[in-house]
Amino acid sequence: MVRKMGVYAVLAYCLYGLFFYWYLFHLADPVLPFEYQGTSADPATFLNGRELELSEEYSKIRNLLFFLSTPLEWLIYFLILLFGLSKIFKRWADDSAKYKILQTPIYLFWLSLFSFVTTLPISYISYHFSKSYNISTQSFPSWMKDELIDFWVNYGTWLIIVPVLYWLMKKSKKRWWLYAWLLSIPFTLFMMFIQPVIIDPLYNDFYPLKNKELETKILALADRADIPADHVFEVNMAEKTNALNAYVTGIGSNARIVLWDTTLNKLNDDQILFIMAHEMAHYVEKHIYWGIAGYLLLSLFGLYLTYRLMNWACERWGNELKTKEVSDICSLPLFFMIISMLLFASSPLSNLVSRYQESRADQYAIEMTKNPDAAISSFQELSRISLSQVNPPLLVKIFRYSHPSMLERISRLEEYQIKHRND
């Protein structure tokens, strides 16, 4: 039965992968709707023939890798359970330390290491294609360093969560999910607070914007928006990527508006001011706090469903999965698998909310800057450099896009431009 379940799982993953390959490379129609052809949103108006070709190629590859990577995690965790590797990791932990307080960290290390090693190839393939299409400028040692930082940051985070989680499971078999959620509230806020000042600097250097003339213009925008900002932060990304980005991160006194140096190098001041106004909108409309509230609400339902599904799986398939008790640390791969599945299943909803917020931020930015030419050209340049599709396939948009498509964003700006042409 175990071997049969393993074969079925691998076969299901292969069929899933073939479906998305067929969908992305053969079924999805990249042709722009007729009414948008020749407009500013038409990539043929701002990309040359070679760039159009590369954009389609790279987007398809990147989207395929996205749809393959998350279910691969599920498959790996399922096979870890099915073939008894979780029990082996637990035995290694028990044999390595006589104190129980050390056994869970050791078990978690072996599980994390195995998952890291087995998913590393698809991460490398993604890096390789990004490098091949001149999106990434990062050297292999630098990329590997970031991967190892990811590993240790994730391990350290779960080292805090897992012992508490399984202690709750032992103490309250029916309510552990609720107590875990209650504890997750201060922990989430704490992680959001330290993210900009402790975690992000592990990957890159952050410093106040060097261009003081531009910073003065940005702070003037912030003052108009009643944002108490003293600095705009710049991060050195040019040694890793050619892509452009800016974002708002952190909460409270640690909230930051951050610009990648690639954005500073490749866009003019008017384009940057539009992007900064967009990021300020997230602060003004408190999107970060709404996002935290939404995440906590979803996590409440997610933990409850995880509780129900783990109990069902252990009762129904306990022998095959080599774990009959939810509170047994050997069930951790099952916990990870279910959480990952639920996150993937909820991504269409979270992306929908995010796209609404991003649309609001675009509207706020254009109303503040009143420069549609700069706004449109900034989005065109973003599409050109990142080789992103202006009009992505429906499933890609639903599961991947936390921002509206460039077709939607540029079209709305064009509508604003036409409406206010004579103002």
Side-chain angles (χ1 to χ4, degrees):
M1 174 61 80
V2 168
R3 182 177 297 179
K4 187 181 291 186
M5 290 174 68
V7 170
Y8 286 159
V10 172
L11 181 60
Y13 178 75
C14 291
L15 291 173
Y16 164 90
L18 286 172
F19 166 78
F20 272 102
Y21 175 83
W22 170 75
Y23 175 76
L24 294 170
F25 285 83
H26 299 287
L27 180 64
D29 187 2
V31 177
L32 203 67
F34 176 77
E35 61 269 26
Y36 297 104
Q37 293 179 14
T39 67
S40 299
D42 185 350
T45 64
F46 59 88
L47 299 180
N48 61 42
R50 181 57 177 160
E51 288 171 337
L52 282 169
E53 182 182 349
L54 291 175
S55 175
E56 286 299 320
E57 287 178 4
Y58 180 65
S59 294
K60 289 175 181 177
I61 292 170
R62 183 178 58 178
N63 291 332
L64 179 62
L65 290 173
F66 165 80
F67 282 111
L68 290 178
S69 59
T70 301
L72 179 61
E73 292 180 14
W74 311 341
L75 178 64
I76 289 168
Y77 287 133
F78 183 68
L79 295 179
I80 286 173
L81 290 165
L82 205 60
F83 292 105
L85 289 176
S86 187
K87 277 193 169 296
I88 292 173
F89 297 152
K90 185 175 185 294
R91 187 167 66 247
W92 289 353
D94 293 345
D95 293 344
S96 300
K98 62 179 180 179
Y99 299 109
K100 286 192 174 182
I101 195 171
L102 298 176
Q103 291 170 358
T104 296
I106 295 172
Y107 167 85
L108 184 60
F109 173 79
W110 285 116
L111 177 62
S112 301
L113 182 63
F114 185 86
S115 302
F116 173 78
V117 170
T118 50
T119 57
L120 189 63
I122 200 164
S123 298
Y124 175 77
I125 291 169
S126 180
Y127 160 74
H128 169 75
F129 278 109
S130 181
K131 186 99 170 175
S132 300
Y133 282 84
N134 202 35
I135 304 298
S136 173
T137 59
Q138 192 172 17
S139 66
F140 177 78
S142 173
W143 173 80
M144 197 65 225
K145 176 186 173 184
D146 283 353
E147 290 292 309
L148 291 173
I149 291 173
D150 277 345
F151 171 81
W152 287 112
V153 168
N154 290 332
Y155 175 75
T157 304
W158 284 113
L159 190 56
I160 298 170
I161 296 171
V162 169
V164 175
L165 180 69
Y166 275 81
W167 179 79
L168 291 172
M169 287 177 176
K170 287 182 172 66
K171 292 295 181 181
S172 179
K173 292 185 178 182
K174 293 185 178 181
R175 294 286 182 269
W176 65 262
W177 59 274
L178 179 60
Y179 302 139
W181 179 76
L182 291 171
L183 288 175
S184 75
I185 297 173
F187 182 75
T188 299
L189 295 176
F190 173 73
M191 291 300 291
M192 288 290 294
F193 187 77
I194 69 169
Q195 177 89 26
V197 294
I198 295 179
I199 297 176
D200 289 347
L202 294 173
Y203 298 87
N204 300 99
D205 295 326
F206 291 77
Y207 34 80
L209 187 61
K210 296 175 184 176
N211 186 335
K212 295 305 175 184
E213 182 180 347
L214 177 60
E215 185 178 49
T216 300
K217 295 178 183 178
I218 294 172
L219 292 178
L221 273 182
D223 184 60
R224 285 172 53 195
D226 295 324
I227 297 174
D230 297 321
H231 297 289
V232 176
F233 286 87
E234 178 181 343
V235 55
N236 61 325
M237 291 297 296
E239 62 186 24
K240 293 184 177 182
T241 183
N242 283 317
L244 313 181
N245 197 18
Y247 59 90
V248 179
T249 186
I251 58 174
S253 60
N254 281 356
R256 288 182 175 183
I257 298 175
V258 180
L259 266 170
W260 286 10
D261 59 352
T262 50
T263 305
L264 294 165
N265 296 337
K266 295 175 182 178
L267 298 183
N268 61 42
D269 284 6
D270 287 340
Q271 292 169 328
I272 291 171
L273 288 174
F274 170 77
I275 290 173
M276 284 290 92
H278 172 101
E279 298 306 327
M280 290 173 190
H282 291 306
Y283 180 93
V284 170
E285 299 203 354
K286 296 180 171 54
H287 288 163
I288 291 176
Y289 296 99
W290 282 110
I292 293 172
Y295 166 78
L296 291 174
L297 183 61
L298 280 176
S299 66
L300 174 61
F301 289 105
L303 282 170
Y304 174 71
L305 286 174
T306 300
Y307 152 75
R308 297 299 298 266
L309 289 171
M310 286 187 76
N311 281 338
W312 173 80
C314 288
E315 290 172 6
R316 177 69 178 82
W317 305 104
N319 289 329
E320 289 80 5
L321 299 179
K322 314 295 190 296
T323 175
K324 294 184 178 181
E325 289 289 334
V326 170
S327 58
D328 185 349
I329 191 67
C330 289
S331 71
L332 185 57
L334 179 63
F335 176 83
F336 284 159
M337 182 178 72
I338 292 172
I339 288 291
S340 180
M341 286 178 167
L342 292 176
L343 284 172
F344 186 78
S346 66
S347 60
L349 176 60
S350 57
N351 285 340
L352 180 65
V353 173
S354 178
R355 288 196 297 270
Y356 170 76
Q357 292 179 340
E358 295 297 335
S359 294
R360 293 274 301 175
D362 283 349
Q363 185 63 34
Y364 180 94
I366 195 60
E367 292 289 349
M368 174 172 273
T369 61
K370 299 189 184 301
N371 192 341
D373 288 332
I376 290 170
S377 60
S378 66
F379 285 151
Q380 289 175 335
E381 187 68 6
L382 181 61
S383 297
R384 187 185 67 81
I385 291 173
S386 62
L387 296 179
S388 59
Q389 288 173 304
V390 169
N391 187 32
L394 179 61
L395 290 179
V396 173
K397 180 179 177 180
I398 290 173
F399 283 96
R400 286 209 67 189
Y401 274 49
S402 59
H403 290 61
S405 69
M406 285 302 179
L407 176 65
E408 295 168 317
R409 302 179 85 174
I410 295 175
S411 296
R412 287 174 189 147
L413 291 170
E414 268 199 322
E415 290 173 6
Y416 175 91
Q417 186 178 44
I418 293 169
K419 183 178 179 181
H420 296 84
R421 180 165 290 164
N422 297 321
D423 290 357

